Amino acid sequence: MFFASSNDLVQRFDYAGDPDRVVIDLSAAHVWDASSVAALDAVETRYRHRGKTVEITGLNDPSADLHGRLTGGLTGGH
């Protein structure tokens, strides 16, 4: 995932119709930049506003490191 694909990611979920627990498996992906982390944060925030939880799984080590360093600090809690 990188900036060009991350903008579209947020629109790809059915926030109202998805179950109360959502698992996003990124084992076949790599998170390349801050905009991708911000997009994942936005997805989590939208679910949280509906009382749902999100688990992100399958991040490779570099992606997990980037996500861990940047998550929560990019979207301003929106």
Side-chain angles (χ1 to χ4, degrees):
M1 290 179 25
F2 64 102
F3 72 94
S5 61
S6 62
N7 292 332
D8 191 41
L9 175 71
V10 178
Q11 305 306 319
R12 295 294 178 176
F13 292 91
D14 180 6
Y15 298 98
D18 283 343
D20 289 342
R21 181 175 178 270
V22 176
V23 177
I24 301 173
D25 183 359
L26 296 176
S27 58
H30 182 87
V31 177
W32 287 101
D33 57 22
S35 63
S36 298
V37 175
L40 291 171
D41 282 355
V43 168
E44 288 182 286
T45 298
R46 287 185 180 200
Y47 278 120
R48 187 171 50 249
H49 285 179
R50 294 182 179 277
K52 300 179 181 194
T53 60
V54 175
E55 178 184 357
I56 297 174
T57 64
L59 289 171
N60 60 31
D61 289 342
S63 296
D65 179 58
L66 182 66
H67 186 261
R69 285 186 290 116
L70 299 179
T71 194
L74 299 168
T75 61
H78 297 182

